[in-house]
Amino acid sequence: MSAARSTVMTRRQRVIGFALCIVTILLAVLDTNIVSSATVPIVRDLDPVHGVDNIPWLIAAYQLAATAALPLYGKLCDVLGAKKVFIGAVATFLAGSALCGMAGSMDWLIAARALQGIDGGLMSVTMVVLRELKGPGEKNGGRGGGVGGIVAGAGMALGPWLGGALAEHADWRWIFYVNLPFGLVVLAAAVRVLKLPVRTARRTIDFLGAGLAAAFSTTLLLVTEWGGKDHAWSSPLIVGLLVATVATLVLFVRRQATAAEPVLPLGLFRIRELRYGFAIQGLVGAAMMGSVVYVMIYLQAVRGIAASSAGLYLIPMAIGMAAVGLLSERLATAGWSQKTFVVSGTVSASAALALLATLSTDTSLWTVRLALLLMGIGFGQLVGQLVRLVQDTAPADQLGVATTGVRFFQTLGSALGAAFFGTVLSRVYAAHGPGGTTSTIGRLTGHARRQALDAFVTSTNVVFWTATGVMLLATVLATRLPTRREPEPLNPEPVRVRAEADPEAGASASTPSLHR
C-alpha cells in the first residue's frame, strides 16, 4: 500500500472541483456520440470519393483506443495520484480535439480520433476524482452518486443533436473545437483548485500487463467489428484474431497472477461485491447496446424516420436517467441500499426490453417512447450505483484499477453484445426475409418490401427478447449482492496523511492526520 500526502480542501474548493468533474464527464459523454450525426458532412469535405469506406474506422478508432487504455489509467491513478492523471487526461483530450478540428484528410482525422480515444479513461479518472473530493465527514452516498445518471442522460440526448446542429449550421470542425474553451477552463481550474492525495511511495507500473490488456481488447473488438460483416466468421482473418484474443487473454491473466503491481489485480475478484459488480456491468453494457442501437435501426428502417429525428426518441430515456439521478440521493437517505438500486434498475430495464420485444410495423410510437423512458429509469439506477458499489468496496490503494475495471467490463460487454445481437438479427432475417441482407430493405418495393419489413421486425423482436434474457441474468446476479446500507471501512488500518498549511482552509488545515 502506498503512502499518500494531501492538503485539506475547503468546502468551496470541493464544490468547484465537483463542478469541474460534471463538465468533464459531460464532455466525455458527448465525445463518444457527437460524431455519429456528422459523418456525412465530414466525408463530403475530406474525401467525397472514398470517405464513406473509412467511416467504420473513424468510429472504431476511438472505441479501440479507449478500451485499450482503460486498465493503464486506473493503475496510474493508484500510483501517481488522481490529480496528475486527471490533468494529463484533460490535456490529452484537448490535444486530440484540436487535431481532429484541424484534420485535412480522413486518415488524419482517424488518427486524431484514436488520440482522443486514448483519453477514453477520462470519465473513469473523473469518477476517481469525485470519490476523493468527498470530505472527511461526508457520507459515501453524497452528491456524486446521482451525477452519473444525470450527465449520462443529458449527454446521450444532446450528443447526436449537437453534432448534427453544428455540422448543419456552422462547420463539422466545431464539434471538436467546442471542447477547447470548456476543457481549458477545467484544466486551469484543476491545477489551481484540486488538492487530492498524492502518492509518495515508489511503485512500479505493469506496462507489460497493460500492453497485454490492450492487445486482448483490441483483437476482441476487431473480431466483433468485422466478424460476420466484412469477413465471414470462418475466414482466416477472423479465426486468426480469435486465436490471438484467446492467447493474449491467457497471457494477461497469467501476468496479473505474477506481477508485483498488476493493472487488474486478480485479488479484486475475491471480493464478492466487485466480482458481481464487474459481471453485472458487463451484462448491462451488452443489453444497452442491444437496445439503443436496434431501437434506432427499427425507427429508421421500419418506420421511415430520418436519422436526425430518430435521435430525438432518446430524449425520454435521457429524462428517465436524469430523473433517477436526481432522486437517488433522497432514495438512499430513505433507506435504499446499493443492492436495492441495482435490483430495481435491472428489473426496470428488463421490463423495458420486454416491451420493445412486442413492437410491430404499426405499433404506436408512444409505446417506443414509454419503453425508452422505462429503460432510462432502469439504466439511470445502474450507471452510478455500480460504480459507487465498486468504489465503496475496493481497497483504498486499488481505487483506480477498480473504477476503470467497471468501465472496462462495460465496454467489453458492449462489444460482445454488438457482435452477438448482430449475428442474431442477420440469421433471423435470413430465415424469414425475401432474400438478401437487411441493407437492401430500402431498395425493395411492393410485396417484397412488406415481407422484408415483417422479417426485420421479427428479427428485432428476437434481439430484444435476447437482451431481456441478458438483463434478467443481471437481475439474478444483483440479488446475490450483500445488502449493506453503509460501506465497510476501506482498510483495516488507516493511512496517515500529512496535511500541509493552506491559507484558505483555515483551522481545518492543521488537522494532524486524515483517515482514508
Side-chain angles (χ1 to χ4, degrees):
M1 183 181 299
S2 63
R5 174 174 54 82
S6 175
T7 56
V8 177
M9 293 183 67
T10 65
R11 179 175 177 80
R12 175 175 172 272
Q13 288 173 325
R14 288 195 290 123
V15 169
I16 294 174
F18 179 76
L20 296 178
C21 290
I22 294 290
V23 175
T24 304
I25 292 176
L26 181 58
L27 290 176
V29 173
L30 287 174
D31 202 53
T32 61
N33 58 14
I34 197 172
V35 176
S36 60
S37 57
T39 53
V40 172
I42 288 174
V43 167
R44 187 189 306 125
D45 184 25
L46 295 182
D47 189 355
V49 178
H50 304 292
V52 173
D53 297 332
N54 291 322
I55 287 178
W57 276 111
L58 177 62
I59 298 172
Y62 181 90
Q63 185 181 22
L64 288 170
T67 307
L70 268 174
L72 182 59
Y73 266 105
K75 193 63 181 181
L76 289 173
C77 283
D78 292 334
V79 173
L80 303 177
K83 177 178 178 177
K84 290 181 179 179
V85 182
F86 178 76
I87 291 173
V90 173
T92 304
F93 174 77
L94 293 176
S97 297
L99 289 172
C100 284
M102 294 186 296
S105 66
M106 285 295 292
D107 291 340
W108 178 344
L109 182 59
I110 291 170
R113 190 67 175 154
L115 177 61
Q116 276 192 313
I118 291 176
D119 195 44
L122 179 60
M123 184 181 297
S124 297
V125 174
T126 307
M127 297 304 293
V128 176
V129 173
L130 273 173
R131 177 55 184 255
E132 295 193 342
L133 280 173
K134 294 181 184 296
E138 189 173 348
K139 292 183 178 181
N140 287 319
R143 62 194 170 202
V147 70
I150 300 172
V151 177
M156 186 176 296
L158 286 175
W161 173 82
L162 182 60
L166 288 174
E168 182 177 352
H169 300 292
D171 187 286
W172 64 264
R173 298 178 187 275
W174 280 101
I175 67 177
F176 303 109
Y177 287 148
V178 74
N179 296 327
L180 300 182
F182 296 102
L184 287 171
V185 170
V186 169
L187 186 63
V191 172
R192 180 175 178 80
V193 173
L194 291 183
K195 294 179 173 62
L196 304 177
V198 178
R199 315 303 177 194
T200 56
R202 296 180 63 86
R203 296 172 61 183
T204 60
I205 298 176
D206 182 21
F207 287 108
L208 176 58
L212 289 171
F216 160 70
S217 58
T218 299
T219 54
L220 177 62
L221 290 176
L222 287 176
V223 167
T224 61
E225 182 70 24
W226 289 340
K229 304 171 190 174
D230 300 316
H231 303 276
W233 287 107
S234 58
S235 67
L237 176 61
I238 299 301
V239 172
L241 285 173
L242 285 171
V243 171
T245 299
V246 174
T248 51
L249 175 60
V250 171
L251 292 173
F252 173 69
V253 172
R254 182 177 179 181
R255 175 65 182 179
Q256 298 314 285
T258 58
E261 292 283 352
V263 294
L264 187 61
L266 300 183
L268 293 177
F269 295 92
R270 289 195 291 267
I271 302 173
R272 186 176 180 182
E273 293 89 340
L274 299 188
R275 183 169 64 250
Y276 284 116
F278 290 154
I280 294 170
Q281 190 75 307
L283 294 173
V284 169
M288 286 186 70
M289 177 61 66
S291 56
V292 176
V293 170
Y294 290 102
V295 167
M296 294 297 101
I297 295 176
Y298 165 83
L299 291 172
Q300 295 174 57
V302 178
R303 309 308 292 268
I305 298 173
S308 57
S309 300
L312 298 178
Y313 281 78
L314 293 177
I315 292 178
M317 184 174 177
I319 292 173
M321 295 180 73
V324 168
L326 290 170
L327 290 174
S328 62
E329 187 175 344
R330 292 186 178 182
L331 293 173
T333 303
W336 283 42
S337 65
Q338 291 167 338
K339 176 180 179 178
T340 305
F341 277 113
V342 177
V343 172
S344 174
T346 54
V347 169
S348 299
S350 299
L353 289 165
L355 182 57
L356 288 172
T358 65
L359 295 179
S360 65
T361 56
D362 56 358
T363 300
S364 170
L365 292 176
W366 284 105
T367 301
V368 178
R369 295 184 179 98
L370 176 61
L372 290 174
L373 174 64
L374 184 59
M375 190 177 299
I377 293 173
F379 287 146
Q381 294 177 75
L382 297 169
V383 168
Q385 293 301 324
L386 284 169
V387 172
R388 188 194 298 177
L389 172 70
V390 168
Q391 290 183 333
D392 285 348
T393 314
D397 62 331
Q398 295 178 348
L399 177 64
V401 294
T403 303
T404 54
V406 173
R407 291 274 298 163
F408 187 66
F409 281 99
Q410 179 182 343
T411 304
L412 295 182
S414 298
L416 291 173
F420 179 70
F421 293 137
T423 301
V424 169
L425 182 77
S426 299
R427 292 192 174 182
V428 175
Y429 181 82
H432 295 85
T437 64
T438 56
S439 60
T440 63
I441 293 178
R443 298 193 296 269
L444 299 177
T445 59
H447 176 72
R449 177 174 175 80
R450 181 65 186 181
Q451 182 183 359
L453 292 178
D454 289 338
F456 187 83
V457 169
T458 300
S459 304
T460 55
N461 288 345
V462 174
V463 167
F464 288 131
W465 279 124
T466 306
T468 302
V470 171
M471 284 307 303
L472 288 175
L473 176 58
T475 303
V476 172
L477 295 181
T479 62
R480 304 278 294 173
L481 290 169
T483 302
R484 188 175 60 194
R485 178 71 196 284
E486 293 293 336
E488 297 174 355
L490 293 176
N491 292 298
E493 298 181 1
V495 179
R496 296 286 178 177
V497 182
R498 185 171 69 251
E500 300 175 342
D502 184 356
E504 295 188 49
S508 63
S510 61
T511 304
S513 66
L514 299 175
H515 297 276
R516 297 194 70 243

